[in-house]
Amino acid sequence: MELVVCIKQVPDTETRIKIAADGKSIDITGINWVVSPYDENALEEALRIRETKGEGGVAVMTLGPERAASALRSCLALGADRAVHLQDPALEGSDSLGTARALAAAIRRSRFDLVLVGQQGVGTDNSQVGPMLAELLDIPHVNVVTKLEIANGKIRAHRQIEGAVEVVECPLPAVVTAQKGLNEPRYASLKGIMAAKKKPLERLGLQDLGLDAADVGAAGARNRWTRLELPPARQAGKILDGEPEESTAELVRLLRDEAKVI
Amino acid sequence: MDFRISEEAELILRELKEFGDSEIRPKARMHDEEQSFPKEVFSHLGKLGFMGIIFPQKYGGAGLSYIDYAAIIEELSRADGSVGLSIAAHNSLCSNHIYQFGTEDQKQKYLVPLARGEKLGAWSLTEPTAGSDAGGTRTTARKTGKGWILNGTKTFATHGGICDTAVVFAVTDPEKKKKGISAFILEKGMKGFLRGKKEDKLGCRASDTAEIVMNDCEVSAANLLGQEGQGFSNALHILDGGRISIAALGIGIARASLEASLSYSRRREQFGVPISSFQAIQWFLADMATGIDAARLLTFRAAQLKDMGRPVTLESSMAKLFASEVAVRSAETAVQIHGGYGYTKDYPVERFYRDAKICTIGEGTSEIQRLVIARQLLD
């Protein structure tokens, strides 16, 4: 079974984000870059499927600048067999659709049975690339998956919905987006890290992918970031005094009229 | 001079920081209080390859350099000094002695399972009558037709109570004093290989320290480690490398102390401002950071020389002496910055203070390090 995992390199979730001078991007100085946590679940699932089946390979792909290669190396250290880095000046500034187009073109270059991606990329949190990939590859997708079983050319996936779990079956090939709880990602072993350098890391540009520069990158972006603002500072909490009957009534009133949550 | 860890080690340190924060630190206080060995942590670390960091892959190790090893011990010790100490003792003392001086058969039989983390190692030179003075060794090995009979007691052995494999030293020829000491490999289950008293320690309490007792312990001729009579001189060579790892242990504890102090002094307010805005606190922080960097440079220099195959007696003693004193001072400063809270178990700095103290004692006290350094100067 051939597995493809698409990952995104994102700022460490503990980073204190600062807005850059242009007012519409983040200041990347001093940022510690990591693999988006949901993508770690996607990779872990692919590795487990390969280990259970005892055959097949795991290819890991990303679209990103030079520094994104270190995210691919981390995935190779965890056990992926090969990596593909989509890197081209024309791909820079891609929105979700441009990213999905480039990844779909790269995925089509080899045989594949299952594509796994994180259910969202931490930071921008659009949750779009997975479903878009499925559309572009013309295959089914199941998103926000917390349990995955594969048998007889079909997948059976559990997905979180409001207050319940939905169980979905679909034929392969397919796209699955991983939710937290799908598995517990492993740590890279020393052996894995030492072996990662010797594994193939292929770089593909626009021409290799057979894409038109007008469809991807900043040129093809359907949405653009116009302004970025930090969330407002959290306001001080309120403590309601008085007897429980009175304060409870006041709490209900505030939740309804002021916070408008009930 | 340029002391640089490998690209691989950088990735290892990143993984290790996460491993330390999620798997080691949350349980450190419990293991400290119970004085219990974190078996699950070591089983996990073993599977990841941390029980054979410096040994070639053909012996089940990861084949990393000593400079990478020092950086790894620092990172582990930042998470928990006990874990750093245990990994250091397992790697650079017990396993390394077998790697450096063992026969191919001994390496296959003992080093491979140690490096893979399937077995835990101890190494013990110290005796009730011998510490800084190894000449006081009383443990004897009597030659028989089949091998050796060992009798004696080793004290303060890291993993003495729980090890599967132990390297011990015994007098094989009393006439020759230090040149009459030989090393032996003991294996769990050997007749007469007994466990003595488990020590109740000030710090590094999650790292097992206990006596090893040999009571007519029968050891086959194949378990003599290195040449007969070379045990003490080989031990000194092993300690040269071991001291680098104790230096790294000290740096790790010092770093944990600094990180805790930075975080606390930014949050703790007095007179309406964070205490980090006071110069008194800033000077503490600046001195800690400077000491840590200086200690790391000394340690990386010694490790790099070792990687180059050069003698490191002087450099490793300097690194160990300086780093262990930086560790104690940094941990003490961290307690001071935390004030009353630092004196309680609600914050980890009191543990760092207790843990740090082992660095100035184990693998040669600070006084012995000064002696070693002075001898090198005067020779």
Side-chain angles (χ1 to χ4, degrees):
Chain A
M1 192 158 165
E2 294 306 317
L3 301 138
V4 177
V5 181
C6 300
I7 62 142
K8 183 177 182 183
Q9 191 185 42
V10 300
D12 190 334
T13 47
E14 285 170 20
T15 310
R16 267 190 240 171
I17 296 291
K18 283 183 225 135
I19 294 169
D22 68 3
K24 53 183 181 179
S25 61
I26 62 166
D27 181 357
I28 60 167
T29 44
I31 281 184
N32 183 24
W33 298 93
V34 300
V35 175
S36 177
Y38 299 100
D39 297 341
E40 289 183 336
N41 292 101
L43 174 63
E44 178 63 35
E45 198 63 19
L47 296 174
R48 287 185 192 193
I49 293 167
R50 186 194 62 193
E51 283 158 6
T52 312
K53 303 263 172 207
E55 51 96 21
V58 175
V60 56
M61 296 184 183
T62 197
L63 182 156
E66 184 60 35
R67 60 170 158 73
S70 73
L72 292 174
R73 288 264 174 239
S74 302
C75 296
L76 292 173
L78 285 162
D81 300 291
R82 64 187 182 91
V84 181
H85 188 179
L86 313 184
Q87 196 197 350
D88 195 302
L91 292 172
E92 280 170 25
S94 289
D95 62 3
S96 301
L97 185 57
T99 304
R101 278 185 178 136
L103 287 169
I107 292 167
R108 270 197 220 99
R109 288 164 58 95
S110 325
R111 194 174 83 74
F112 67 94
D113 299 295
L114 180 62
V115 178
L116 287 138
V117 303
Q119 62 99 354
Q120 69 193 75
V122 164
T124 47
D125 304 290
N126 287 319
S127 299
Q128 290 174 338
V129 171
M132 283 174 169
L133 265 180
E135 280 300 312
L136 294 166
L137 295 168
D138 198 22
I139 55 175
H141 90 271
V142 189
N143 69 352
V144 208
V145 171
T146 52
K147 187 179 172 193
L148 184 64
E149 296 156 334
I150 303 174
N152 311 319
K154 278 197 302 194
I155 57 172
R156 200 177 144 84
H158 293 232
R159 58 188 300 273
Q160 272 180 349
I161 56 171
E162 192 77 36
V165 173
E166 188 179 49
V167 182
V168 180
E169 277 188 0
C170 81
L172 290 171
V175 174
V176 164
T177 81
Q179 169 68 317
K180 285 260 162 241
L182 174 61
N183 49 46
E184 187 61 46
R186 68 194 65 190
Y187 293 95
S189 70
L190 297 194
K191 218 176 254 178
I193 291 171
M194 302 303 279
K197 217 176 185 173
K198 295 181 195 109
K199 291 181 178 174
L201 195 161
E202 187 184 11
R203 282 172 203 273
L204 298 178
L206 203 64
Q207 283 198 326
D208 306 305
L209 297 170
L211 292 170
D212 189 333
D215 292 331
V216 292
R222 303 287 177 95
N223 59 59
R224 294 188 178 85
W225 290 18
T226 53
R227 200 152 61 96
L228 210 53
E229 282 172 23
L230 289 173
R234 188 182 296 196
Q235 287 172 351
K238 239 178 223 176
I239 292 172
L240 303 177
D241 297 322
E243 292 301 309
E245 295 83 27
E246 297 165 27
S247 57
T248 309
E250 176 64 4
L251 176 65
V252 170
R253 189 192 69 76
L254 287 172
L255 287 173
R256 184 180 293 134
D257 299 343
E258 216 166 88
K260 298 191 167 61
V261 290
I262 54 172
Chain B
M1 279 191 276
D2 180 23
F3 310 119
R4 201 173 290 175
I5 59 168
S6 65
E7 233 175 89
E8 286 87 355
E10 277 175 27
L11 188 50
I12 293 167
L13 296 185
R14 277 219 302 273
E15 286 279 307
L16 205 46
K17 184 161 187 295
E18 203 178 313
F19 185 87
D21 288 343
S22 334
E23 314 286 332
I24 302 178
R25 284 198 154 178
K27 294 177 202 146
R29 180 177 169 184
M30 180 190 83
H31 288 296
D32 173 61
E33 277 175 13
E34 293 177 352
Q35 195 162 225
S36 56
F37 186 72
K39 276 192 192 132
E40 67 296 344
V41 166
F42 279 83
S43 145
H44 202 159
L45 283 171
K47 284 187 191 122
L48 294 175
F50 289 97
M51 304 296 264
I53 302 168
I54 48 179
F55 310 110
Q57 297 196 349
K58 69 169 177 168
Y59 296 123
L64 285 156
S65 68
Y66 225 80
I67 196 166
D68 291 346
Y69 172 63
I72 289 170
I73 296 294
E74 176 189 325
E75 197 60 51
L76 282 167
S77 309
R78 173 203 162 266
D80 185 353
S82 291
V83 174
L85 175 64
S86 276
I87 290 286
H90 175 92
N91 274 274
S92 43
L93 297 182
C94 175
S95 308
N96 199 35
H97 199 124
I98 298 172
Y99 173 58
Q100 296 283 336
F101 301 108
T103 61
E104 188 56 34
D105 283 350
Q106 288 171 335
K107 287 181 201 175
Q108 290 300 336
K109 187 171 177 193
Y110 295 108
L111 177 59
V112 170
L114 284 166
R116 284 192 186 144
E118 296 155 9
K119 297 272 170 77
L120 186 67
W123 184 91
S124 190
L125 187 62
T126 302
E127 296 190 8
T129 54
S132 298
D133 172 20
T137 300
R138 296 270 172 88
T139 298
T140 57
R142 185 165 50 82
K143 213 172 208 163
T144 66
K146 291 179 291 183
W148 305 83
I149 302 279
L150 271 62
N151 275 293
T153 299
K154 294 288 170 184
T155 191
F156 305 138
T158 300
H159 307 147
I162 54 174
C163 66
D164 303 287
T165 307
V167 172
V168 297
F169 300 83
V171 176
T172 44
D173 186 347
E175 303 280 299
K176 293 185 178 161
K177 303 265 169 69
K178 282 179 184 173
K179 287 184 180 163
I181 297 175
S182 307
F184 295 88
I185 304 173
L186 303 188
E187 203 179 347
K188 190 174 171 178
M190 272 180 178
K191 190 165 166 267
F193 173 20
L194 309 170
R195 317 302 171 122
K197 185 181 123 206
K198 178 183 160 92
E199 301 298 344
D200 189 357
K201 293 179 296 177
L202 173 73
C204 284
R205 288 166 56 83
S207 177
D208 178 79
T209 305
E211 282 180 344
I212 289 175
V213 178
M214 290 150 281
N215 186 9
D216 284 333
C217 180
E218 292 175 22
V219 178
S220 81
N223 280 30
L224 172 71
L225 180 57
Q227 299 288 316
E228 192 181 330
Q230 292 291 307
F232 185 66
S233 122
N234 292 349
L236 289 185
H237 177 82
I238 291 300
L239 283 172
D240 281 348
R243 281 169 186 158
I244 297 173
S245 64
I246 300 299
L249 166 67
I251 300 165
I253 298 172
R255 237 181 79 206
S257 304
L258 174 61
E259 285 171 19
S261 301
L262 284 170
S263 139
Y264 181 81
S265 62
R266 281 189 180 123
R267 276 183 293 119
R268 168 76 170 168
E269 291 192 2
Q270 289 287 274
F271 310 103
V273 288
I275 61 169
S276 62
S277 63
F278 302 138
Q279 267 193 351
I281 301 295
Q282 291 174 1
W283 290 357
F284 278 150
L285 298 172
D287 285 348
M288 284 163 97
T290 307
I292 289 166
D293 262 24
R296 192 184 290 116
L297 284 171
L298 280 173
T299 304
F300 277 9
R301 177 183 68 161
Q304 189 160 303
L305 286 171
K306 188 168 163 57
D307 284 328
M308 291 159 71
R310 302 258 290 273
V312 292
T313 306
L314 175 70
E315 291 79 4
S316 68
S317 278
M318 284 179 166
K320 199 263 188 190
L321 170 65
F322 190 80
S324 58
E325 301 204 336
V326 162
V328 173
R329 204 161 53 234
S330 300
E332 190 199 357
T333 307
V335 172
Q336 193 67 22
I337 290 173
H338 283 67
Y341 293 103
Y343 203 63
T344 71
K345 288 188 190 285
D346 292 342
Y347 284 83
V349 289
E350 64 81 32
R351 187 175 75 244
F352 301 159
Y353 192 22
R354 290 185 286 108
D355 287 352
K357 193 59 199 160
I358 190 57
C359 302
T360 65
I361 298 168
E363 297 195 31
T365 59
S366 286
E367 293 65 43
I368 285 290
Q369 305 309 326
R370 288 189 171 90
L371 201 68
V372 169
I373 294 164
R375 274 184 192 155
Q376 296 275 322
L377 296 177
L378 295 166
D379 252 4

